[in-house]
C-alpha cells in the first residue's frame, strides 16, 4: 500500500485509524488525513472536492483476506465500494447455482462498484477477493444522501444505468417475480427467535461446533472489525463452505444457509449484533457454547461421538432447514426480497409449502364481504351453510372464495377449519382482480363460426439471441385450450425447424406428442397429419413450393418425434402402422420433386423399418409369461418390457379352490378372460371375475377392464364364479404367505450386497416402464385398451418391500434376533435410500431429489399421486375444448420419468462379481404376508400392548 504523505506527517496506517472511527467521532484533522489519502486513489480523481470531503466523513475502511465473498449475484446490496489496494473477481452465473459462476473480469485498484443500492435492484454479479484487498465502503443510506446532494457531480462518474439514473426493471422475469412478491399475501409468521432451544437443535449445535473444532479449529477464533474484537467467532461464508464439504445431502449454498438459520432461530448460533437472518457473507456468528469466557474444548471421546452423529445431524438440518429459510425470507419486507428469495417462495408453492398459519377456527362467515381467495396447501376445511350444516369438505389442492370476488357478492357459505394445523395461500381481492384482468388481456381467441377453436396466452419469452445473432421475440404464445385439430395446426406452424431431432425442442410440442392419446387418438391423429402434408392449391409455383417445403418438413419432424416416443407400441396399432407405411411412400415420392426433403428421408426410413418390420423370431412378438409374472427364473439376463400382445399363462380359481389355466394376451379385457375360462370349464353363463386379496377383500371386475393380471395385490388371486356365489368366495391358504422367516439366510448376506442387488432389480423394473403407461394409468387403461403391466409390477414392488420388512420382523420370535434384524434393515436403507419424511406431501424428498443427477429410481407412488390430483382437479374439456393446460401439467410429471432415466445405470462390476447368485435370487423372490390384520396380530403377540 502506498503511504499517504500529509502535511501532518501521517503514517501509512494513520488514515486507516481515522476511517475506523465512527463518523461522529472524526475530527477535522481526521477528515484532512483521509482526504489527503483518497485524493491519490484513482477511483476518486475526478470527484469534486466537496463530494470527496463528504466521503471522508461517512466512508469506512475494509481489509479482506483472499477468497472472501463480498456479496453474491442476486443479493440486495447495502454498500458501495472503491478498491484501494488488491483486486477482486467478478463472477456471473446464468443459473441459480452460484457454483456455476464464471469469472468475467477482475476489478483492480481505482475501480468502484455497487451502485445498484440506489434503487435496491439485485446484485448482477458475485464479487470475490482475488488477493488481500483494502476497500473503502459507504453504507446505502449515506450513499443515497450523497446522490441526492451531489447528483450533478456523481451522474457523470457512476457506470450506467446509474450514471443517467435509468432504473427501469431488468427483464420480464424479474417483473413476474416482483408481481408474485406483491400478490402473494403472507399472513403472520413468528419473527421471534427462540430463547430456549429444543434438545435436538441444542445437540445439533454442539455436534457442529465440536466437529469444527476437531476438523477446522481455525474457523472459530477472535475476529477484529472496526477496531473492535469479537471473541470466538465464525464467518458466515466460511460456515456455508464448511457445511457443503461435510455431507452429500447439502447441494447448494442456499440450502446450507437454511440449515444454519435453524440454529440461529433457536439461539444455538447467534449473530454478534443479534440479527435474526443468517447470511452467506463476511459477518460474524458465535456458537452458544462460546458465549461463555471459559467455553470448554471437546474431549477425544466427545469428538468421536460427534463424528459418528454428524451425518444424522446434517440430514436432520437439511430436512428442517427449508422451513427456517422460508421464514427468514418472509420476515423481510417485500422490497428487500432478492430474486433468489422469490424463486425459493415459488419453489415452495410448487411443493405445497405452508405460507400462512391461521389461528382462528372460522376463515370467514356466510354473508360477509369477499376480500380474499384461498388455496388449501395443507389440511382441510368444512363448507357450512346456514340451515344445511356441513355441505362438503375441501382438502389439499382445493380452493375457495373466488365466487364472491368474481360476482362481487357476499360469501355464500362459512369456511371452518377441520384441524388445527391448516395452511393456505391467500390472495386479496385487488390482486385477484388484477390477475384476472392480466390473464384476459393476454388471452388471444381464434374463432370459427362464432365459436372458440383455439385459446392462446401471451407470456414472456425472455430475451434470446439465435444462432444467427438475431434477437428473438420477447413474448410467445402458449396453448391454453382448443380443438384437437387446431392445436395440431398451431404446433406445426410454430415448430422450429433449425433444431435437431435430438435437441430439446419446445417442451409444449413434446407435451402434445406425449398427451395426444387422451384427446386425439392415433385413429384421428394419423389422418390429420396426412391432411397437413399435401401441396397447397393456391399461389404461384414458387410460393406453393416454398410453403410446401417448410410445411412438409414440419410434418415429417413431428412424425419422427411421435414414432420415437411410441416406439414398439405402434406395432399394436394397425392404424398407426398403416399410416407410417403410407407416409413413408408419400415422402419418398416427394423427394423426386423436392430435393431438400432427402435429408430427412433416411431417418424416417430407419424408424419406419424399426416399427413396421416383423420381428425375426416369432417368440419375440409373443412372449409367454408365467403366472403372476414370477421371477423365479435365475438366469442372468435383464427383464424385458411386457407388451400388450405378449401372452400370459395364468391360473383362475373357482369357488371350490380348484383352478383352470388360461393363455391370453396381457392386455385382454375381463370379457375375454371370461371367454377363455368358459372354454376350459365348458360353460361361461353368468360368470364373473373377482379380484381377491389375502385379507378377503373382494372386487368384481367390470367387463371392459383390461390387463387385470398385474393389478392384483402382492398375494392377490383371480376367481371366476357365478354371480350368486360371490358371497361364498374365500381366500386360498396359499395367500396367507409364509409361516417362517428367512432370518437364517438373510443374516448371512451383507447389507451392501443386498442393497446392490435390490437396486439392480428395481432399476430393471423401472427401466421397463413406458412413459405412456403413466398416462394410461391416470386416465384409465380401459379408455385406451392398453396394458400398464410394467408400471403395475414396479408399483407392486414398493408394497412388496414394505411387507417384506414387516413380515420378517413379525416372524422372528426372539427379541435379540429382532433387534439384529432391525439393525440390518437400517443398514440396507442407509445404503440405498433417502430417509424420507412423508409430511407436507413428501416435501423433504422432493427437494432432495430435485437436486440429484440421474440415474434415479423415483418414488413412483408419489408421481402417480401427483398425476391423479392433477387429473381429478382439472377438467379434460373446458367449453368443449381440450384443456391443454392440464395436459401440460401431467406431461411435466411424466417428464420426470424420462429425466430419471436420461443417464444409464451401470452397476459396479466389482460388486456384481462379488455377489453370490443366492443374493440375487433372494431379493427377486420375496415371500411376504400382505394381510395387515394378520401382521398386527402377530406384532401384538410378540410384544403385547402395555395396559
Amino acid at each position: 500500500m502506498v503511504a499517504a504523505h500529509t502535511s501532518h506527517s501521517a503514517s501509512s496506517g494513520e488514515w486507516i485509524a481515522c476511517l475506523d472511527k465512527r463518523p461522529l467521532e472524526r475530527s477535522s484533522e481526521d477528515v484532512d488525513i483521509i482526504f489527503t489519502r483518497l485524493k491519490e486513489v484513482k477511483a476518486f480523481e475526478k470527484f469534486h472536492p466537496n463530494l470527496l470531503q463528504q466521503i471522508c466523513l461517512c466512508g469506512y475502511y475494509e481489509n479482506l483476506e483472499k477468497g472472501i465473498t463480498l456479496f453474491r449475484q442476486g443479493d440486495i446490496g447495502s454498500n458501495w465500494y472503491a478498491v484501494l489496494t488488491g483486486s477482486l473477481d467478478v463472477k456471473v452465473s446464468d443459473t441459480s447455482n452460484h457454483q456455476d459462476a464464471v469469472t468475467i473480469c477482475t476489478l483492480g485498484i481505482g475501480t468502484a462498484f455497487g451502485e445498484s443500492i440506489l434503487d435496491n435492484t439485485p446484485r448482477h454479479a458475485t464479487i470475490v477477493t482475488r488477493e488481500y484487498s483494502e476497500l473503502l465502503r459507504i453504507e446505502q443510506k449515506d450513499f443515497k444522501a450523497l446522490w441526492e446532494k451531489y447528483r450533478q457531480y456523481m451522474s457523470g462518474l457512476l457506470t450506467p444505468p446509474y450514471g443517467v439514473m435509468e432504473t427501469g426493471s431488468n427483464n420480464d422475469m424479474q417483473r413476474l417475480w416482483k408481481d408474485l412478491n406483491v400478490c402473494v399475501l403472507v399472513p403472520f409468521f413468528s419473527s421471534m427467535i427462540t430463547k430456549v432451544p429444543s434438545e435436538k437443535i441444542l445437540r445439533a449445535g454442539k455436534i457442529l461446533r465440536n466437529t469444527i473444532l476437531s476438523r477446522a479449529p481455525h474457523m472459530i477464533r477472535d475476529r477484529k472489525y472496526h477496531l473492535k474484537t469479537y471473541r470466538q467467532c465464525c464467518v458466515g461464508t466460511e460456515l456455508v463452505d464448511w457445511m457443503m464439504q461435510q455431507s452429500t445431502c447439502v447441494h447448494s449454498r442456499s440450502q446450507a444457509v437454511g440449515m444454519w438459520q435453524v440454529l440461529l432461530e433457536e439461539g444455538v448460533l447467534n449473530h454478534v449484533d443479534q440479527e435474526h437472518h443468517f447470511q452467506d457473507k463476511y459477518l460474524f456468528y458465535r456458537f452458544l457454547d462460546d458465549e461463555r469466557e471459559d467455553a470448554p474444548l471437546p474431549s477425544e471421546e466427545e469428538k468421536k461421538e460427534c463424528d459418528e452423529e454428524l451425518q444424522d445431524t446434517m440430514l436432520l438440518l437439511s430436512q428442517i432447514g427449508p422451513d427456517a429459510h422460508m421464514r427468514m425470507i418472509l420476515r423481510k419486507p417485500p422490497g428487500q426480497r432478492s430474486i433468489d428469495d422469490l424463486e425459493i417462495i415459488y419453489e415452495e408453492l410448487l411443493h405445497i409449502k405452508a405460507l400462512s398459519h391461521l389461528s382462528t377456527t372460522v376463515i370467514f362467515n356466510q354473508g360477509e364481504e369477499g376480500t380474499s381467495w384461498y388455496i388449501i396447501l395443507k389440511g382441510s376445511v368444512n363448507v357450512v351453510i346456514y340451515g344445511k350444516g356441513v355441505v362438503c369438505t375441501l382438502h389439499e389442492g382445493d380452493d375457495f372464495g373466488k365466487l364472491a370476488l368474481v360476482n362481487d357478492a357476499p360469501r355464500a357459505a362459512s369456511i371452518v377449519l377441520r384441524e388445527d394445523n391448516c395452511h393456505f395461500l391467500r390472495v386479496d381481492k385487488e390482486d385477484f382482480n388484477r390477475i384476472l384482468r392480466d390473464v384476459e388481456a393476454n388471452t388471444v381467441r381464434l374463432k370459427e363460426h362464432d365459436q372458440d377453436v383455439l385459446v392462446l396466452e401471451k407470456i414472456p419469452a425472455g430475451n434470446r439471441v439465435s444462432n444467427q445473432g438475431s434477437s428473438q421475440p420477447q413474448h410467445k404464445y402458449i396453448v391454453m385450450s382448443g380443438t384437437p385439430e387446431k392445436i395440431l395446426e398451431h404446433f406445426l406452424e410454430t415448430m422450429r425447424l433449425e433444431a435437431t431431432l435430438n435437441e430439446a425442442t419446445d417442451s409444449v410440442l413434446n407435451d402434445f406428442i406425449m398427451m395426444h392419446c387422451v384427446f386425439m387418438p392415433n385413429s384421428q391423429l394419423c389422418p390429420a397429419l396426412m391432411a397437413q402434408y399435401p401441396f397447397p392449391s393456391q399461389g404461384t409455383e414458387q410460393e406453393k413450393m416454398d410453403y410446401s417445403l417448410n410445411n412438409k418438413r414440419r410434418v415429417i419432424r413431428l412424425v419422427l418425434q411421435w414414432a420415437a416416443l411410441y416406439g414398439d407400441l405402434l406395432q399394436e396399432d394397425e392404424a398407426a402402422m398403416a399410416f407410417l407405411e403410407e407416409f413413408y411412400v408419400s415422402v419418398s415420392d416427394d423427394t423426386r420433386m423436392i430435393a431438400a426433403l432427402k435429408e430427412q428421408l433416411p431417418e424416417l426410413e430407419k424408424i419406419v423399418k424399426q416399427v413396421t418390420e416383423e420381428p425375426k423370431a416369432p417368440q419375440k412378438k409373443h412372449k409367454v409369461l408365467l403366472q403372476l409374472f414370477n421371477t423365479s427364473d435365475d438366469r442372468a439376463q435383464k427383464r424385458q418390457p411386457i407388451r400388450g400382445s405378449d401372452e400370459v399363462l395364468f391360473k383362475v380359481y373357482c369357488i371350490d379352490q380348484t383352478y383352470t389355466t388360461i393363455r391370453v394376451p396381457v392386455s385382454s379385457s375381463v370379457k375375454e378372460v371370461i371367454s377363455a375360462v368358459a372354454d376350459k370349464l365348458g360353460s361361461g353363463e353368468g360368470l364373473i371375475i373377482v379380484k381377491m386379496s389375502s385379507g378377503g377383500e373382494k372386487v368384481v371386475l367390470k367387463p371392459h377392464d383390461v390387463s387385470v393380471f398385474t393389478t392384483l395385490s402382492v398375494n392377490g388371486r383371480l376367481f371366476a364364479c357365478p354371480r350368486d356365489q360371490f358371497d361364498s368366495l374365500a381366500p386360498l391358504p396359499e395367500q396367507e404367505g409364509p409361516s417362517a422367516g428367512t432370518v437364517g439366510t438373510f443374516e448371512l448376506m451383507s447389507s451392501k450386497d443386498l442393497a446392490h442387488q435390490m437396486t439392480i432389480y428395481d432399476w430393471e423394473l423401472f427401466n421397463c416402464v413406458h412413459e405412456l403407461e403413466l398416462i394410461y394409468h391416470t386416465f384409465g387403461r380401459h379408455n385406451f385398451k392398453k396394458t400398464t403391466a410394467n408400471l403395475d409390477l414396479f408399483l407392486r414392488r414398493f408394497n412388496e418391500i414394505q411387507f417384506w420388512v414387516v413380515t420378517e420382523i413379525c416372524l422372528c420370535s426372539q427379541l435379540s434376533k429382532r433387534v439384529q434384524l432391525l439393525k440390518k434393515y437400517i443398514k440396507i436403507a442407509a445404503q440405498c435410500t433417502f430417509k424420507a419424511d412423508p409430511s407436507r406431501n413428501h416435501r423433504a424428498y422432493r427437494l432432495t431429489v430435485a437436486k440429484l443427477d440421474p440415474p434415479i429410481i423415483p418414488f413412483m407412488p408419489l408421481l402417480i399421486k401427483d398425476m391423479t390430483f392433477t387429473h381429478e382437479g382439472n377438467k379434460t374439456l373446458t367449453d368443449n375444448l381440450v384443456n391443454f393446460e392440464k395436459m401440460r401439467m401431467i406431461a411435466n410429471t411424466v417428464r420426470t420419468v424420462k429425466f430419471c432415466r436420461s443417464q444409464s445405470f451401470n452397476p459396479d462390476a466389482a460388486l456384481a462379481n462379488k455377489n453370490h447368485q443366492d443374493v440375487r435370487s433372494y431379493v427377486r423372490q420375496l415371500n411376504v404376508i400382505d394381510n395387515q390384520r394378520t401382521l398386527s396380530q402377530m406384532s401384538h403377540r410378540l410384544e403385547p400392548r402395555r395396559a
Side-chain angles (χ1 to χ4, degrees):
M1 183 180 70
V2 179
H5 301 288
T6 72
S7 59
H8 303 283
S9 302
S11 66
S12 61
E14 189 175 3
W15 71 279
I16 296 175
C18 297
L19 277 175
D20 273 333
K21 293 181 181 180
R22 297 182 181 277
L24 294 178
E25 298 173 355
R26 295 175 189 172
S27 66
S28 58
E29 184 179 0
D30 293 334
V31 173
D32 288 343
I33 293 172
I34 299 170
F35 184 85
T36 303
R37 172 66 180 91
L38 293 187
K39 280 198 306 183
E40 301 173 357
V41 176
K42 184 178 179 181
F44 302 117
E45 63 185 11
K46 294 182 180 180
F47 277 39
H48 191 278
N50 292 346
L51 173 59
L52 189 56
Q53 188 84 9
Q54 294 299 315
I55 290 175
C56 295
L57 286 171
C58 62
Y60 292 94
Y61 170 81
E62 297 277 1
N63 63 327
L64 302 176
E65 300 171 359
K66 177 183 178 181
I68 298 298
T69 300
L70 197 61
F71 54 74
R72 295 192 174 278
Q73 183 177 345
D75 287 353
I76 298 296
S78 57
N79 294 283
W80 178 81
Y81 300 90
V83 183
L84 304 177
T85 67
S87 58
L88 303 93
D89 285 336
V90 180
K91 299 186 175 185
V92 173
S93 170
D94 290 333
T95 69
S96 59
N97 189 346
H98 294 299
Q99 294 176 327
D100 295 338
V102 295
T103 301
I104 60 171
C105 66
T106 298
L107 304 177
I109 297 173
T111 54
F113 55 94
E115 296 92 338
S116 63
I117 60 173
L118 286 173
D119 61 356
N120 284 324
T121 55
R123 300 294 199 189
H124 300 298
T126 298
I127 305 294
V128 182
T129 54
R130 188 181 183 88
E131 56 188 309
Y132 173 83
S133 301
E134 293 177 294
L135 308 174
L136 178 83
R137 174 175 63 88
I138 299 179
E139 294 181 346
Q140 184 180 36
K141 64 180 188 303
D142 296 322
F143 194 77
K144 283 187 172 182
L146 291 175
W147 171 259
E148 293 300 324
K149 188 173 182 179
Y150 297 101
R151 184 186 298 245
Q152 70 273 25
Y153 300 139
M154 297 177 69
S155 60
L157 301 172
L158 303 185
T159 56
Y162 306 99
V164 291
M165 208 49 190
E166 294 175 353
T167 55
S169 58
N170 294 325
N171 52 48
D172 293 326
M173 186 57 70
Q174 288 187 10
R175 283 201 298 271
L176 175 62
W177 293 136
K178 287 179 181 178
D179 286 346
L180 177 67
N181 193 33
V182 173
C183 173
V184 178
L185 300 178
V186 184
F188 177 73
F189 251 76
S190 172
S191 62
M192 295 299 293
I193 301 299
T194 305
K195 298 302 181 185
V196 181
S198 63
E199 288 188 11
K200 64 179 182 181
I201 301 303
L202 193 63
R203 179 61 181 166
K206 186 176 290 291
I207 289 169
L208 293 177
R209 173 186 178 268
N210 289 349
T211 306
I212 288 174
L213 289 172
S214 174
R215 299 182 181 181
H218 65 280
M219 287 177 57
I220 302 178
R221 66 179 190 269
D222 293 349
R223 310 269 182 168
K224 185 178 179 181
Y225 188 75
H226 283 187
L227 299 183
K228 182 176 179 181
T229 299
Y230 297 88
R231 293 185 54 261
Q232 295 298 94
C233 293
C234 306
V235 173
T237 52
E238 293 179 3
L239 288 174
V240 171
D241 291 338
W242 180 84
M243 183 165 278
M244 293 189 66
Q245 295 167 4
Q246 304 309 307
S247 174
T248 56
C249 72
V250 185
H251 305 282
S252 68
R253 303 190 72 86
S254 175
Q255 183 187 7
V257 167
M259 294 165 70
W260 286 116
Q261 180 67 24
V262 172
L263 303 182
L264 190 69
E265 284 190 344
E266 299 216 16
V268 178
L269 184 75
N270 295 297
H271 185 272
V272 293
D273 289 336
Q274 302 305 309
E275 291 185 8
H276 293 171
H277 299 165
F278 182 89
Q279 299 187 63
D280 185 7
K281 294 182 179 180
Y282 193 72
L283 299 176
F284 298 158
Y285 298 90
R286 184 184 297 118
F287 282 100
L288 182 62
D289 285 348
D290 290 318
E291 297 284 350
R292 308 201 318 259
E293 291 283 347
D294 57 344
L297 294 175
S299 64
E300 290 302 319
E301 184 177 350
E302 286 178 320
K303 289 180 180 179
K304 183 178 179 182
E305 288 179 355
C306 291
D307 276 345
E308 293 175 352
E309 295 182 44
L310 179 63
Q311 293 308 314
D312 286 341
T313 298
M314 300 293 280
L315 190 57
L316 167 68
L317 294 176
S318 72
Q319 292 182 348
I320 61 180
D323 280 351
H325 199 182
M326 173 60 76
R327 286 191 293 271
M328 180 182 78
I329 293 170
L330 295 178
R331 289 190 190 102
K332 298 179 182 179
Q336 293 181 13
R337 295 174 191 165
S338 67
I339 296 299
D340 285 344
D341 290 341
L342 295 178
E343 287 179 349
I344 289 171
I345 294 176
Y346 180 69
E347 183 177 343
E348 292 296 316
L349 290 175
L350 294 181
H351 295 302
I352 319 297
K353 173 67 185 73
L355 297 183
S356 61
H357 290 243
L358 301 181
S359 57
T360 55
T361 302
V362 179
I363 308 301
F364 54 71
N365 287 301
Q366 184 176 347
E368 292 180 352
E369 179 188 359
T371 58
S372 299
W373 170 52
Y374 299 82
I375 300 173
I376 304 174
L377 301 178
K378 182 184 179 184
S380 57
V381 299
N382 284 332
V383 180
V384 182
I385 297 179
Y386 297 147
K388 295 183 179 180
V390 178
V391 295
C392 68
T393 299
L394 303 177
H395 302 275
E396 178 182 308
D398 292 330
D399 70 301
F400 58 89
K402 66 173 178 274
L403 189 62
L405 303 185
V406 172
N407 297 331
D408 198 19
R411 297 295 194 187
S414 298
I415 300 294
V416 183
L417 299 185
R418 296 183 71 241
E419 47 199 294
D420 293 334
N421 194 23
C422 289
H423 303 150
F424 304 91
L425 167 67
R426 177 168 64 88
V427 179
D428 73 6
K429 184 175 182 178
E430 180 181 347
D431 288 317
F432 179 81
N433 290 333
R434 181 175 61 80
I435 290 171
L436 291 182
R437 290 194 302 269
D438 289 347
V439 169
E440 190 58 36
N442 290 318
T443 300
V444 178
R445 299 176 183 274
L446 177 64
K447 293 180 179 290
E448 290 183 358
H449 307 295
D450 291 329
Q451 296 292 322
D452 288 342
V453 292
L454 188 65
V455 180
L456 305 175
E457 182 182 9
K458 180 182 178 182
I459 64 169
N463 293 321
R464 302 193 311 268
V465 177
S466 67
N467 295 334
Q468 288 76 30
S470 60
S471 178
Q472 299 296 308
Q474 294 185 352
H475 296 87
K476 65 179 179 179
Y477 291 89
I478 61 170
V479 176
M480 297 175 67
S481 59
T483 64
E485 293 77 12
K486 287 299 177 184
I487 293 175
L488 173 62
E489 286 180 22
H490 173 77
F491 287 132
L492 285 172
E493 289 172 359
T494 57
M495 182 186 295
R496 293 189 301 116
L497 288 172
E498 69 271 13
T500 63
L501 183 61
N502 294 326
E503 186 180 332
T505 57
D506 195 341
S507 62
V508 292
L509 176 59
N510 293 329
D511 295 344
F512 172 84
I513 293 170
M514 183 182 296
M515 300 299 301
H516 79 83
C517 58
V518 174
F519 57 87
M520 194 179 194
N522 288 336
S523 58
Q524 185 179 351
L525 173 67
C526 294
L529 287 172
M530 286 302 298
Q532 292 288 328
Y533 188 76
F535 277 98
S537 57
Q538 297 179 346
T540 65
E541 288 301 318
Q542 186 59 45
E543 288 173 342
K544 289 192 286 187
M545 185 64 71
D546 292 342
Y547 176 85
S548 178
L549 172 60
N550 288 332
N551 200 56
K552 288 176 182 290
R553 289 179 63 195
R554 291 189 181 102
V555 176
I556 295 171
R557 168 63 60 80
L558 194 148
V559 170
L560 289 172
Q561 290 184 240
W562 168 72
L565 173 64
Y566 277 72
D568 293 344
L569 296 183
L570 293 176
Q571 294 179 352
E572 300 171 5
D573 190 324
E574 293 182 1
M577 297 275 280
F579 161 73
L580 279 175
E581 292 176 342
E582 179 186 357
F583 185 74
Y584 174 69
V585 171
S586 297
V587 175
S588 299
D589 291 343
D590 286 347
T591 56
R592 300 188 186 97
M593 296 178 290
I594 310 175
L597 292 180
K598 289 183 178 179
E599 62 185 48
Q600 291 176 293
L601 189 62
E603 202 167 8
L604 180 63
E605 181 180 17
K606 179 181 177 181
I607 285 186
V608 170
K609 284 185 176 180
Q610 287 176 345
V611 174
T612 59
E613 284 187 352
E614 283 289 326
K616 294 180 180 179
Q619 64 270 24
K620 183 178 178 182
K621 186 175 183 181
H622 296 293
K623 293 182 290 188
V624 178
L625 307 167
L626 300 178
Q627 176 185 350
L628 293 181
F629 306 92
N630 204 338
T631 54
S632 57
D633 186 355
D634 284 338
R635 291 174 297 176
Q637 65 264 32
K638 295 180 181 179
R639 291 183 61 85
Q640 297 298 318
I642 298 169
R643 302 297 180 205
S645 57
D646 293 337
E647 294 183 333
V648 58
L649 281 174
F650 204 84
K651 292 180 181 178
V652 180
Y653 293 84
C654 302
I655 194 167
D656 60 359
Q657 300 196 344
T658 60
Y659 65 84
T660 180
T661 302
I662 61 172
R663 177 172 172 167
V664 292
V666 172
S667 59
S668 296
S669 66
V670 168
K671 184 177 181 181
E672 291 168 329
V673 171
I674 291 175
S675 177
V677 171
D679 287 344
K680 290 294 186 77
L681 297 181
S683 173
E685 186 175 352
L687 279 182
I688 58 173
I689 299 296
V690 180
K691 189 161 56 174
M692 172 85 73
S693 73
S694 61
E697 294 85 3
K698 296 174 285 189
V699 177
V700 179
L701 299 175
K702 299 174 183 177
H704 65 263
D705 287 341
V706 296
S707 188
V708 297
F709 309 106
T710 50
T711 62
L712 296 172
S713 57
V714 176
N715 289 332
R717 297 292 186 270
L718 281 186
F719 283 77
C721 71
R723 186 173 292 276
D724 59 2
Q725 296 181 2
F726 171 78
D727 293 335
S728 301
L729 290 176
L732 305 168
E734 67 183 55
Q735 289 183 256
E736 294 178 3
S739 57
T742 61
V743 64
T745 303
F746 183 57
E747 64 184 356
L748 298 177
M749 302 175 183
S750 79
S751 302
K752 193 170 186 179
D753 289 350
L754 284 162
H756 180 70
Q757 289 295 340
M758 288 170 65
T759 302
I760 291 175
Y761 183 49
D762 288 355
W763 178 261
E764 288 180 14
L765 288 171
F766 173 50
N767 211 31
C768 289
V769 178
H770 197 286
E771 296 158 42
L772 291 170
E773 290 187 60
L774 279 78
I775 299 171
Y776 300 154
H777 183 282
T778 302
F779 287 87
R781 71 198 85 201
H782 61 277
N783 291 320
F784 306 91
K785 298 181 180 179
K786 299 290 185 181
T787 183
T788 57
N790 303 289
L791 176 61
D792 296 337
L793 293 178
F794 184 50
L795 290 171
R796 191 164 74 180
R797 178 65 172 177
F798 288 90
N799 293 332
E800 190 176 57
I801 293 294
Q802 173 189 336
F803 287 124
W804 168 56
V805 174
V806 181
T807 298
E808 292 296 337
I809 292 173
C810 288
L811 288 175
C812 186
S813 58
Q814 297 180 25
L815 178 59
S816 60
K817 286 281 189 183
R818 284 201 302 278
V819 172
Q820 294 302 315
L821 197 57
L822 277 169
K823 288 183 177 179
K824 185 94 166 187
Y825 280 124
I826 291 171
K827 289 181 179 179
I828 294 173
Q831 289 283 344
C832 61
T833 65
F834 170 73
K835 194 183 294 182
D837 175 7
S839 65
R840 302 187 185 182
N841 199 13
H842 294 268
R843 179 172 165 278
Y845 167 82
R846 294 176 187 274
L847 291 175
T848 299
V849 171
K851 297 177 177 69
L852 296 179
D853 294 323
I856 303 168
I857 301 176
F859 184 41
M860 187 61 80
L862 188 57
L863 295 182
I864 294 294
K865 175 189 172 185
D866 290 346
M867 293 179 66
T868 302
F869 268 68
T870 303
H871 172 49
E872 295 181 351
N874 299 274
K875 294 180 179 179
T876 301
L877 295 176
T878 57
D879 299 327
N880 294 320
L881 299 178
V882 176
N883 181 2
F884 200 76
E885 289 182 290
K886 172 180 177 177
M887 303 299 126
R888 192 160 51 243
M889 287 189 288
I890 291 180
N892 191 49
T893 304
V894 176
R895 263 196 297 274
T896 303
V897 173
K898 185 175 183 179
F899 169 76
C900 290
R901 296 191 300 217
S902 58
Q903 297 293 328
S904 59
F905 171 61
N906 299 310
D908 190 325
L911 280 174
N913 294 332
K914 178 183 175 183
N915 280 297
H916 299 293
Q917 187 67 19
D918 55 351
V919 181
R920 180 182 184 277
S921 300
Y922 179 82
V923 301
R924 293 168 183 250
Q925 301 177 60
L926 301 178
N927 198 7
V928 305
I929 299 171
D930 70 341
N931 188 330
Q932 298 274 18
R933 186 168 55 253
T934 300
L935 291 170
S936 295
Q937 292 170 352
M938 293 169 65
S939 175
H940 293 154
R941 281 198 299 269
L942 288 172
E943 297 183 13
R945 288 179 176 172
R946 297 180 181 178

